[in-house]
Amino acid sequence: MISTTWFYAKKINGTKSLIMSLFFDNVILTLILAELMVIIGSGSNEVIMYYVTLEIISKLANNFWIQNLIIDVSTEIRIMYTNDQIIKYDTLRFDDRPRKTATGFYDIVEKASNAIFLIIYWGLPQITSLIGNLVAVLYTCSQKGLFTHLVIAFW
């Protein structure tokens, strides 16, 4: 299902900007915020304003731009996938068609297109967020000298 999603995602114009936006918001910005938290944890309160400002910018970008990109791209992929499957079904000879009726086939295609929609709508932001959080944890542990403790904890 992921390969099918990627096959259709490559055909959509907004996919690259969506991936870059998610990477910037969930990985780069998370790493910058982790650095600011290390500085704040060291006793420097002058950067709190920068931390709060970046958090607000991240929330605004996520709510007003990235979410719209996610919805647009995932909806386009869903429509494209559904149309392609209906065209494939219509071009089959009657003997080659599954024993399902057209309505039953459409129900199956609808469930599959929902799965593809959710991979982009829910899965892609969660995966980039997970990567960003892991990078931030590794960075923070290395800055605080806790990297060996982290390795021992996972051993």
Side-chain angles (χ1 to χ4, degrees), residues 101-117:
T101 62
T103 307
F105 176 77
Y106 186 74
D107 289 341
I108 292 170
V109 168
E110 191 65 26
K111 290 176 185 174
S113 68
N114 274 340
I116 289 174
F117 175 83

Side-chain angles (χ1 to χ4, degrees), residues 60-80:
L60 289 174
N62 201 345
N63 289 340
F64 295 110
W65 187 50
I66 296 174
Q67 284 298 320
N68 290 334
L69 269 175
I70 291 170
I71 291 170
D72 291 345
V73 169
S74 55
T75 303
E76 279 287 322
I77 291 171
R78 181 181 191 177
I79 291 169
M80 192 182 301

Side-chain angles (χ1 to χ4, degrees), residues 5-6 9 12-26 61-62 65-75 77 117 119-125 128:
T5 304
W6 183 244
I12 307 243
N13 289 335
T15 304
K16 288 181 183 177
S17 61
L18 172 64
I19 291 171
M20 294 305 293
S21 300
L22 284 171
F23 182 77
F24 178 77
D25 187 46
N26 292 334
N62 201 345
W65 187 50
I66 296 174
Q67 284 298 320
N68 290 334
L69 269 175
I70 291 170
I71 291 170
D72 291 345
V73 169
S74 55
T75 303
I77 291 171
F117 175 83
I119 287 173
I120 298 295
Y121 182 76
W122 178 82
L124 192 59
T128 56

Side-chain angles (χ1 to χ4, degrees), residues 13-111:
N13 289 335
T15 304
K16 288 181 183 177
S17 61
L18 172 64
I19 291 171
M20 294 305 293
S21 300
L22 284 171
F23 182 77
F24 178 77
D25 187 46
N26 292 334
V27 178
I28 303 297
L29 203 55
T30 303
L31 192 57
I32 293 170
L33 291 171
E35 171 62 22
L36 290 175
M37 284 303 291
V38 168
I39 294 170
I40 292 169
S42 300
S44 178
N45 293 335
E46 296 85 29
V47 295
I48 292 176
M49 180 183 65
Y50 298 120
Y51 180 84
V52 172
T53 303
L54 284 177
E55 280 286 347
I56 291 171
I57 290 171
S58 173
K59 297 297 181 205
L60 289 174
N62 201 345
N63 289 340
F64 295 110
W65 187 50
I66 296 174
Q67 284 298 320
N68 290 334
L69 269 175
I70 291 170
I71 291 170
D72 291 345
V73 169
S74 55
T75 303
E76 279 287 322
I77 291 171
R78 181 181 191 177
I79 291 169
M80 192 182 301
Y81 174 78
T82 302
N83 289 340
D84 282 355
Q85 297 310 310
I86 290 171
I87 289 169
K88 285 179 186 176
Y89 184 80
D90 286 342
T91 58
L92 287 176
R93 290 187 335 207
F94 187 74
D95 296 339
D96 294 337
R97 289 186 181 185
R99 297 189 195 268
K100 292 274 186 190
T101 62
T103 307
F105 176 77
Y106 186 74
D107 289 341
I108 292 170
V109 168
E110 191 65 26
K111 290 176 185 174

